[in-house]
Amino acid sequence: MPKDWYEWHDLYNTEPKLQQRLEIVQEYIAHSLNAFPSGAIRIVSVCAGDGRDLLGTLKNHPRINDVYARLVELNPQLVERGRATIESLGLTKQIEFINGDATLSTNYVGAVPADIVIVCGVFGNLAEEAELNRLLDNLSFLSKPGAFVIWTRGHSNGIPYSETVRKILRASDFEEVNFQLTATGDMGIGIHRYLGENLPQPKEQQLFVFAGIPSKAR
Ligand SMILES: C[S@@+](CC[C@H](N)C(=O)[O-])C[C@H]1O[C@@H](n2cnc3c(N)ncnc32)[C@H](O)[C@@H]1O
């Protein structure tokens, strides 16, 4: 069991569930990039880890030079690794990796509203359903109308939590573009479009509370 989030990322080397999840997330990021007309595409990644989903997609994507992104992550080692990748891709002028608290709206100022919002590995780390509703509500600050929101939600104890997420999204300002389960069957990955308005000021300074711990990550 991983002790910290840096160690948790090592599971990408061995766990089919995480490897398949990454593949689908990257497919959705590429799909979103392809959907925009020429010009700048703004992206934010909430609790970005080492940014492998976005950076791994950009490496081989024709829109690489159009992307302006901010990734927000608390763990300094993951940020360091992400920054090294950004440098190796020659993207330091376009992509910022903030070592900070992704639950605070202040860490997104200047980078939003975004065309693509990546919230992977977050929903399963919220304490309760009310917190998911709060985060989705606060996406009005991060997202342009029509923005793609890419998310993941693992299942546990036979409970298909990703179905709960889809139900909540259906009842909110989101339209499903695609949803897939990993071949392992216990991880859902969704891509939705945000249909609401953008709020230039956040409703709350704290957008959500990240309650998860790496040894229990879902
Ligand atoms: C389940 S991992 C997901 C990482 C990445 N998004 C991915 O899918 O590979 C959750 C991440 O959230 C980060 N995290 C936890 N609390 C945070 C906070 N308050 N602000 C920013 N990042 C946070 C952890 O350090 C960890 O990298």
Side-chain angles (χ1 to χ4, degrees), residues 128-135:
E128 55 188 6
E129 213 168 286
E131 201 57 23
L132 175 58
N133 277 307
R134 176 184 174 194
L135 169 54

Side-chain angles (χ1 to χ4, degrees), residues 12-53:
Y12 272 112
N13 300 327
T14 52
E15 273 208 4
K17 172 174 75 175
L18 275 184
Q19 293 163 350
Q20 292 161 18
R21 166 193 190 274
L22 178 62
E23 208 170 298
I24 298 169
V25 168
Q26 291 186 334
E27 174 193 324
Y28 288 169
I29 294 172
H31 170 89
S32 311
L33 292 169
N34 292 339
F36 290 103
S38 59
I41 303 171
R42 280 177 174 264
I43 303 180
V44 291
S45 181
V46 178
C47 300
D50 59 10
R52 66 182 66 200
D53 44 16

Side-chain angles (χ1 to χ4, degrees), residues 95-147:
I95 304 195
E96 301 170 89
F97 218 130
I98 301 267
N99 188 195
D101 189 341
T103 72
L104 301 181
S105 59
T106 44
N107 279 325
Y108 300 94
V109 172
V112 293
D115 300 291
I116 303 173
V117 179
I118 303 170
V119 269
C120 293
V122 176
F123 293 170
N125 288 299
L126 307 177
E128 55 188 6
E129 213 168 286
E131 201 57 23
L132 175 58
N133 277 307
R134 176 184 174 194
L135 169 54
L136 293 179
D137 207 29
N138 282 321
L139 288 184
S140 55
F141 173 59
L142 302 186
S143 316
K144 284 185 192 168

